[in-house]
Structures are given as structure tokens and as C-alpha cells.
Amino acid sequence: MLGYLSVGIIVVLTAWVVIFYAFMTDEVYDNIDDGLKNSKTEIIKKAYANPQVESFLPFGTNGFRITPLEPGEYSRKNVFSTEMIYMDADDNDEPVRMLTTTFIDQKGNPYLLEIRTSTIEADDLLRDFGLAVFILYLALLVSIYLINHILLKRAVWSPFYRLLHNLKTYTLGQRIVTPETQTPIKEFTDLQREINKMIERIEDMVEQQKTFVSNAAHESQTPLAIINNKLELLVEAEDLNEHQINQIQSIHQSLTRLIKLNKSLLMLAKIENKQFVQYQEVNLNQIVKDLVEDWEDILAYKQLEVTINETPTSSTIFMDKGLAITLVQNLLKNAIAHNTPNGQIVIDLQTHAFSIRNTSTVKVPLDESLIYNRFYRSTTNEESTGLGLALVQTIIKVTPLLSIHYEYNGMHCFSIRW
């Protein structure tokens, strides 16, 4: 906005300076022309009184010349022109303003009248005046720049830019965007106050949603566990036929997925409510090895080959150990769930990073802007709840210095760096 204002002022100021200088130049030459016309009147009067007169002054930069003309009709219009006349005394050309016209004496004889006057003083005046206007123009430009970029930006627009910066860096969880700023502009103060009220309403709504999800997930755990146990007992009944057993197994699979979904939602709620704050030095090498060992049966059943590449220095990170286990667990689950029979999982452990790569039936890169969204699934795999990578992303957000990056180079790779 300040840029447009500055450009507009500069354009108007430039046009004003040009027009003003042109007007002053025109006025100066109008005064000179008026003087020439007055001189013409006086010369013609004297020529009537003294028919023998030819000139009163030398015909140089200031003077006149009367030249007889052949009898005939001639225009008596005043013709003004500006010429450069060489002056022997100064050895240079000097500007003169000349009026050319005709008149008739008492006997009716026509004459040509040429009157000259030097404009060097007027030109010097215009040059000095133009220089003064130009200096004033530059001074005004500098003043406009200083006012716009120092005075207005710091004293007037500074609160607005600070508020805008805070809005750009705002994340859910900040109750107040910015403290009240002392500014003489009432509109900025009102804008800041209304934005803070809006943020508070948003925070309250998000907090209510978190509480609802947490309570719903927590309260549904017991009924889900009871239903699961009753289904397991029902399967063991001896009077069931094969069709009934298949139906019960289908219900049990759906229930198992619902239990996993419930646990993931509950975990998300706990992470967002910052219930994991026991920060300590965590050895990721040991966590990875323990999880791979725990899932040996699943890996063998799916015929997946796991390769762990380690550096001499262990991968240690300062974070909540429970979150570290959940982070690695969900990345490993993702690599297993979306792999192919006889597929590969490669885990690289470095000092300040680790990555998990896996083969997959999906042979194209995933959309990184979508894969971390809750309940997003790139495939129809029933083992996926759509919350695994959302959990990973949430852990990354609440843990300082952690970042995650996805890439595809024949294998889908998720890298964690700190």
C-alpha cells in the first residue's frame, strides 16, 4: 500500500514540476514578447515623425532595423522567433528574441521592421529557476521516501505488520495472537482486538472437539473390549455352523479395526493435550531393534525382509520415550501394511536422522500434502486406519527440532531428522 501511495505521489509531483516549469517559461517569454510589441509601437511612431530614420540602436542583440520594401500588399502580423546571434565581443552565440512585422509610413510606402532583444538574462533566470525547482523536487522525493519508509512504516504501520506477522506464524494452541499494541490508529487497535476474540473462539471450539474425541475414545474402550471378549467366547461355542463362524470372524475383524481406530484417536488426543512430557535421551537403535524383534512373526508371515543399517554412533534424540516408540512403531506398521509379498524394508539409522524405506504395490510417489491428513488412505488396504501418519505428523509437531520428509525413488521413504 505504501508503495502505491509513494508511486502515486511521485507521478503527481513530477507532472506538477514539469507543468509548473513550462508555465513559468511561457510567462517569461510572454513578457519579452510584450516588451517587443511595445517597442514596435514606439518605433513606428518615431518613424512617422522622422521619415529618414532607419535605426535608433545598432542592430545587434538589442536594437531594430527598418528595411524599405517594394510596393505591394504585406501582412502586418507579428511574427516572433528565437535565434542565436554571434557576438564578436563575447566570441560566442547569444540567444535573442526577434519580432518581425511590416508597416506603412505617411506616404504609404511599406517597410519591414525587425526588432531584437537579448534573452540571455531571461534564460539565466529560467536556468536558475529550473535548478531550484529540480533541487526542490529531489528534496520532496527524499522527504516522501523518509516519511513513507521510516515515519509511517515505524510509527503508523508497525503495529499492523507485527499483527500480520503473528497471524502468519499462528498455530492452534496460542490463546492470544499478540499483546495489545499502543497505536494512535483506532482501526488497528479494533482489528487486533477482534482478531484476538476470533482466535479465542477458534481455540475454544478446537478444545471442545479435542475433549469430545478424547472422552468418546476413552468411554468407548470398555464397551468395545466387552464386545470383543463376547465374540471370542461365541466363536468357541460348539453348536455353530461354518457360515455363522465366518460371520462372527468378519464382525471380529471390523471390531478389531474399530479398536485400533479408537486407540489411535485416544493417542492423538493425548499428544495434542501434551500429556507426554517426560523428555529424556532416547536410543532409537534399541527401539527399532526391539520393535523388529517383536514383529518377527508378522514379518515372516508376510515374507518381508528387514535390513537395518547403523552407524558406529547410536541415533539418540531428546524426546518423550513413549512418543519415540509410537513414532517408530507407526512408520514400521505403515511399511508393513503397504508392502508386497517378498518385499523389503530398509531402516537407516544415523546420528541425527533415521529413515524407513519399503517396497509397495503403489509404484508412483504419494501426495505429501495429503498423506498426513487424518483418515486419508492411498489404498483400500483394510489394515490401515488412516491415522498412522497423522500420529507421526502430530508427534513431529509437538517435539522440538524434529522434521519429516517423504520421497520416492523406487521405494517409499520417510526420513526423520533432528
Side-chain angles (χ1 to χ4, degrees):
M1 182 176 178
L2 289 178
Y4 289 117
L5 179 62
S6 299
V7 171
I9 293 176
I10 290 172
V11 170
V12 172
L13 182 61
T14 303
W16 178 86
V17 168
V18 172
I19 294 172
F20 181 71
Y21 184 76
F23 174 77
M24 291 303 298
T25 302
D26 185 65
E27 283 295 314
V28 169
Y29 279 98
D30 279 348
N31 289 332
I32 294 175
D33 293 345
D34 289 341
L36 289 173
K37 286 187 284 187
N38 291 334
S39 298
K40 166 196 163 183
T41 302
E42 294 297 326
I43 292 170
I44 291 176
K45 286 181 180 179
K46 291 183 179 181
Y48 268 92
N50 184 7
Q52 304 300 321
V53 67
E54 289 188 359
S55 64
F56 298 118
L57 293 172
F59 192 57
T61 55
N62 291 282
F64 68 91
R65 179 170 63 189
I66 298 176
T67 306
L69 296 174
E70 293 293 331
E73 294 293 331
Y74 297 94
S75 172
R76 296 187 182 185
K77 183 179 179 180
N78 295 328
V79 178
F80 295 95
S81 61
T82 301
E83 300 179 358
M84 299 297 294
I85 303 299
Y86 179 76
M87 302 300 297
D88 293 331
D90 297 330
D91 193 26
N92 63 356
D93 294 335
E94 290 188 7
V96 296
R97 187 74 170 168
M98 187 166 70
L99 183 151
T100 303
T101 187
T102 62
F103 70 94
I104 298 175
D105 66 3
Q106 293 178 351
K107 297 179 180 180
N109 298 318
Y111 290 89
L112 174 68
L113 174 62
E114 297 171 292
I115 308 173
R116 288 177 179 171
T117 183
S118 175
T119 61
I120 189 168
E121 293 183 359
D123 289 343
D124 289 342
L125 175 64
L126 288 174
R127 190 180 302 110
D128 294 341
F129 178 74
L131 180 61
V133 170
F134 181 71
I135 293 174
L136 177 62
Y137 173 72
L138 291 180
L140 288 173
L141 290 183
V142 173
S143 300
I144 291 171
Y145 176 82
L146 293 176
I147 291 173
N148 281 342
H149 291 80
I150 295 178
L151 180 62
L152 290 179
K153 184 170 285 188
R154 291 184 179 179
V156 178
W157 288 97
S158 179
F160 175 78
Y161 286 124
R162 185 161 55 251
L163 180 62
L164 185 62
H165 171 74
N166 288 330
L167 283 175
K168 289 180 179 179
T169 57
Y170 167 74
T171 55
L172 287 174
Q174 295 176 297
R175 299 299 298 184
I176 298 178
V177 179
T178 178
E180 292 293 334
T181 304
Q182 298 299 324
T183 173
I185 301 178
K186 180 179 180 296
E187 288 77 6
F188 288 170
T189 304
D190 293 342
L191 176 63
Q192 180 177 268
R193 188 180 301 112
E194 293 304 317
I195 287 177
N196 284 339
K197 289 180 180 178
M198 181 185 68
I199 293 297
E200 289 181 1
R201 290 194 295 269
I202 293 174
E203 290 289 342
D204 290 339
M205 291 174 60
V206 172
E207 192 64 33
Q208 291 172 8
Q209 289 180 348
K210 287 181 181 180
T211 303
F212 171 77
V213 172
S214 176
N215 291 340
H218 181 75
E219 294 299 327
S220 61
Q221 276 188 312
T222 301
L224 288 174
I226 294 172
I227 295 171
N228 189 50
N229 290 335
K230 290 187 177 294
L231 281 175
E232 290 176 353
L233 293 173
L234 187 59
V235 170
E236 295 177 359
E238 297 180 355
D239 56 345
L240 296 176
N241 57 41
E242 184 177 353
H243 176 72
Q244 291 172 327
I245 293 175
N246 291 335
Q247 290 294 319
I248 293 173
Q249 287 178 343
S250 176
I251 295 172
H252 187 266
Q253 289 176 354
S254 298
L255 182 62
T256 301
R257 186 173 179 276
L258 182 59
I259 291 173
K260 290 181 180 179
L261 184 64
N262 183 73
K263 289 182 178 179
S264 297
L265 288 172
L266 188 58
M267 174 64 74
L268 275 171
K270 288 182 178 179
I271 294 172
E272 290 173 343
N273 291 331
K274 299 180 180 179
Q275 295 181 11
F276 296 89
V277 292
Q278 300 298 322
Y279 285 83
Q280 58 183 297
E281 289 288 339
V282 179
N283 189 327
L284 288 181
N285 298 59
Q286 191 60 47
I287 291 176
V288 169
K289 290 176 183 177
D290 290 343
L291 288 173
V292 171
E293 184 178 349
D294 291 341
W295 292 345
E296 277 185 352
D297 293 339
I298 297 176
L299 294 169
Y301 174 76
K302 293 200 170 187
Q303 299 176 341
L304 299 177
E305 178 186 352
V306 178
T307 303
I308 301 177
N309 301 318
E310 301 179 82
T311 58
T313 306
S314 298
S315 297
T316 58
I317 183 173
F318 188 74
M319 65 182 296
D320 186 277
K321 188 173 182 179
L323 291 184
I325 294 172
T326 304
L327 176 68
V328 178
Q329 188 178 55
N330 278 276
L331 287 174
L332 192 54
K333 278 183 180 180
N334 184 73
I336 294 172
H338 299 286
N339 220 310
T340 59
N342 299 311
Q344 289 183 313
I345 298 175
V346 180
I347 303 175
D348 294 315
L349 292 161
Q350 301 174 6
T351 306
H352 295 289
F354 85 94
S355 62
I356 297 181
R357 291 176 286 149
N358 65 278
T359 53
S360 174
T361 54
V362 180
K363 302 298 183 182
V364 294
L366 304 176
D367 189 344
E368 194 170 5
S369 64
L370 298 176
I371 56 178
Y372 302 112
N373 292 345
R374 296 183 183 184
F375 304 110
Y376 173 79
R377 293 194 294 177
S378 59
T379 66
T380 56
N381 192 332
E382 291 297 328
E383 295 182 29
S384 173
T385 61
L387 289 175
L389 291 179
L391 268 170
V392 171
Q393 177 77 335
T394 304
I395 294 172
I396 296 294
K397 287 182 178 179
V398 300
T399 305
L401 304 180
L402 275 188
S403 64
I404 186 169
H405 176 68
Y406 165 79
E407 62 181 351
Y408 177 78
N409 50 8
M411 300 178 74
H412 298 278
C413 178
F414 289 91
S415 302
I416 307 294
R417 299 186 180 92
W418 61 92

